[in-house]
Amino acid sequence: MASAAEQLAANVNWGAFSKAEELKKRIWFTLGALVVYRLGTYIPLPGIDPAAFEAAFTGNKQGVLELFNMFAGGAVQRMAIFALNIMPYISASIIIQLLTSVFPTLEALKKEGESGRKVINQYTRYLTVFLAAFQAYGIAVGLEGQAGVVTEPGFLFRISTVLTLMGGTMFLMWLGEQITSRGIGNGSSLIIFAGIVAAFPSAIANTLELGRQGAISTGLIIAVIVMSISVIAFIVFMERAQRRLVITYPKRQQGNRVYEGQTSFLPLKLNTAGVIPPIFASSLLLLPTTIANFSQAQGGTGFLATVATYLGHGRPLYMLAYVGLIVFFAFFYTAIVFNPTETADNLKKHGGFILGIRPGERTAQYIDKILMRVTVLGAAYLAVICLLPEILISYAALPFYFGGTSLLIVVSVTMDTVAQIHGHLQAHQYEGLIKKAKLRGKRR
């Protein structure tokens, strides 16, 4: 099965790329916006001692901080103004999606089309402000709890930290929306993608340095390279995998014209949930470790320290819990984003049906059964992709950037962006053919 990049190279005339001015403007705008984002990850938060925070971060980075630091492109380690990154906006979007399936009012807005979508987006922005303010205040309190990190702790420091971090998140939310509308690809995904990719060179250099020092064997480094290439190839194959249900439309008559029956496909993706299950599973499992580390740093011990010990990387309980949470969120999020009943009703309204299945409720039950079977494979795929690199990371002390979650995000965003470039080029070629046809008609 060909990848998106192979299809782009095979099906698009690259000579048309130089003539696609609109596409080039979109690409340059996207690159410029990502440069602005990367510059912001180096602007430190006012009122902290960078050297003292670096020491405190190093002592606690094995928890959720390292995961968030990976998503933020190193902004957490530097405690930059973009330390929260765009994660509050993504969390708000997921929460609103969950609430949409619970509250009839939000579900009605979702069905209103463009106007309803604008209202839901506005609710998402309000929730983003609340989550960003809450998380920023927690960061301010946590920084004050670390000895020597904050130069002048107090009310003014907390207010300035909340406003700065919340403003950074809102700016990134706006920047992501601008990339989506005026650039190429999904803006939020590209911001996370840029943060992960920016850290790849340093992660590779650190790994090679460990090999030079003898801390990691040459065979292990080769194994990591082979594993990364194999994981990327497997992700590309599985992300493109679909279960296609054949939809039949009968003959229909409009006026004096009779239209022949047609067939189409209802594609059910193998991984409908995307990268949400690994992100949520990692965050939940690493949270006790982080809290326990901060508690120990402040002189506290107890139940959280015991839990953090059993949930350490490479521990059997950690691996079992990680797989269980990935499987749970895969099924849970799939049930949220795909509604078999709504799909069956739309097919019935347009006269479509699945051969041998009665339209309506029976069709919804059939789609739901197929979707559950497909999701079983998708959940197993996510578990394998994320678990095998975790084992290697825990036993070889490799960076997070070689994990399945980071590779899954990078490959998925790359495929989506390449597909959009492909679509823009095809649209440009189509417009060119229409213009040529009109010119020929005028000459005749």
Side-chain angles (χ1 to χ4, degrees):
M1 184 179 295
S3 67
E6 290 171 345
Q7 282 191 345
L8 182 62
N11 299 336
V12 176
N13 179 12
W14 283 97
F17 184 83
S18 60
K19 302 177 183 178
E21 296 297 330
E22 177 66 20
L23 177 59
K24 288 193 289 186
K25 289 179 181 178
R26 286 179 171 271
I27 292 176
W28 280 114
F29 179 84
T30 302
L31 293 176
L34 294 179
V35 168
V36 171
Y37 157 66
R38 289 301 302 158
L39 290 175
T41 61
Y42 287 90
I43 302 176
L45 193 70
I48 65 170
D49 183 353
F53 177 78
E54 179 75 20
F57 178 85
T58 303
N60 296 281
K61 71 176 184 178
Q62 293 303 317
V64 73
L65 287 181
E66 188 172 6
L67 179 69
F68 289 162
N69 187 54
M70 178 187 72
F71 292 148
V76 176
Q77 184 175 2
R78 294 183 287 271
M79 193 43 65
I81 59 175
F82 290 162
L84 287 180
N85 202 261
I86 203 168
M87 298 307 292
Y89 176 67
I90 294 176
S91 300
S93 301
I94 294 171
I95 292 172
I96 292 296
Q97 285 183 346
L98 297 178
L99 294 178
T100 301
S101 62
V102 175
F103 293 100
T105 305
L106 292 176
E107 188 174 1
L109 282 174
K110 183 180 178 182
K111 294 179 180 179
E112 289 182 4
E114 183 66 20
S115 60
R117 187 181 65 82
K118 289 181 179 179
V119 175
I120 291 177
N121 287 343
Q122 197 64 24
Y123 290 158
T124 304
R125 295 188 184 101
Y126 292 148
L127 184 57
T128 301
V129 173
F130 173 77
L131 291 178
F134 178 77
Q135 294 178 17
Y137 184 80
I139 289 176
V141 173
L143 290 174
E144 287 184 338
Q146 300 295 312
V149 172
V150 180
T151 55
E152 295 181 6
F155 178 75
L156 290 178
F157 170 76
R158 295 184 183 184
I159 291 297
S160 65
T161 299
V162 170
L163 292 177
T164 302
L165 293 179
M166 185 174 65
T169 296
M170 300 309 295
F171 175 79
L172 289 182
M173 182 186 71
W174 174 83
L175 190 66
E177 292 177 350
Q178 295 301 309
I179 293 174
T180 302
S181 60
R182 301 173 58 185
I184 195 78
N186 181 279
S188 302
S189 300
L190 281 172
I191 287 174
I192 298 177
F193 166 87
I196 296 175
V197 170
F200 272 159
S202 61
I204 293 173
N206 291 337
T207 303
L208 294 177
E209 179 63 20
L210 290 175
R212 188 186 67 81
Q213 295 174 357
I216 298 178
S217 65
T218 304
L220 182 58
I221 295 177
I222 295 174
V224 170
I225 296 174
V226 173
M227 182 206 69
S228 300
I229 295 174
S230 302
V231 167
I232 290 172
F234 185 56
I235 290 174
V236 171
F237 178 81
M238 297 300 282
E239 287 297 318
R240 289 176 52 82
Q242 304 175 338
R243 171 69 161 87
R244 293 184 175 184
L245 300 181
V246 181
I247 308 298
T248 303
Y249 294 91
K251 291 183 180 180
R252 66 185 188 278
Q253 183 174 355
Q254 291 184 354
N256 296 327
R257 302 187 63 179
V258 177
Y259 294 89
E260 293 292 331
Q262 298 178 346
T263 59
S264 63
F265 297 98
L266 174 64
L268 301 178
K269 284 192 64 178
L270 188 73
N271 180 26
T272 306
V275 299
I276 297 300
I279 293 175
F280 271 35
S282 300
S283 301
L284 288 178
L285 284 176
L286 291 173
L287 189 58
T289 305
T290 303
I291 296 176
N293 288 339
F294 275 114
S295 177
Q296 290 175 358
Q298 297 176 5
T301 58
F303 175 72
L304 281 175
T306 305
V307 173
T309 301
Y310 284 103
L311 287 179
H313 278 294
R315 299 276 183 170
L317 182 59
Y318 174 86
M319 298 299 181
L320 290 175
Y322 192 44
V323 172
L325 287 173
I326 287 176
V327 172
F328 169 76
F329 282 119
F331 279 94
F332 182 76
Y333 197 70
T334 298
I336 293 298
V337 300
F338 190 95
N339 190 336
T341 303
E342 184 178 340
T343 303
D345 291 341
N346 290 334
L347 289 176
K348 187 176 180 180
K349 288 178 184 178
H350 293 87
F353 62 91
I354 301 174
L355 288 177
I357 307 297
R358 184 178 300 173
E361 184 179 353
R362 299 295 292 272
T363 298
Q365 294 174 354
Y366 177 77
I367 294 175
D368 184 60
K369 181 179 70 174
I370 299 299
L371 183 64
M372 288 299 102
R373 292 178 178 178
V374 170
T375 306
V376 169
L377 297 177
Y381 143 70
L382 288 176
V384 170
I385 284 294
C386 296
L387 190 61
L388 289 181
E390 281 291 337
I391 296 174
L392 192 59
I393 289 171
S394 60
Y395 285 103
L398 293 174
F400 260 89
Y401 305 96
F402 296 111
T405 305
S406 58
L407 293 179
L408 181 62
I409 293 173
V410 169
V411 174
S412 300
V413 174
T414 301
M415 291 176 63
D416 178 64
T417 306
V418 169
Q420 288 200 29
I421 294 175
H422 187 186
H424 279 283
L425 283 175
Q426 284 189 328
H428 177 75
Q429 288 178 321
Y430 182 70
E431 291 175 358
L433 291 175
I434 292 178
K435 290 180 180 179
K436 289 181 180 179
K438 288 182 179 179
L439 289 175
R440 289 174 183 173
K442 289 181 179 180
R443 290 173 182 175
R444 293 178 181 177

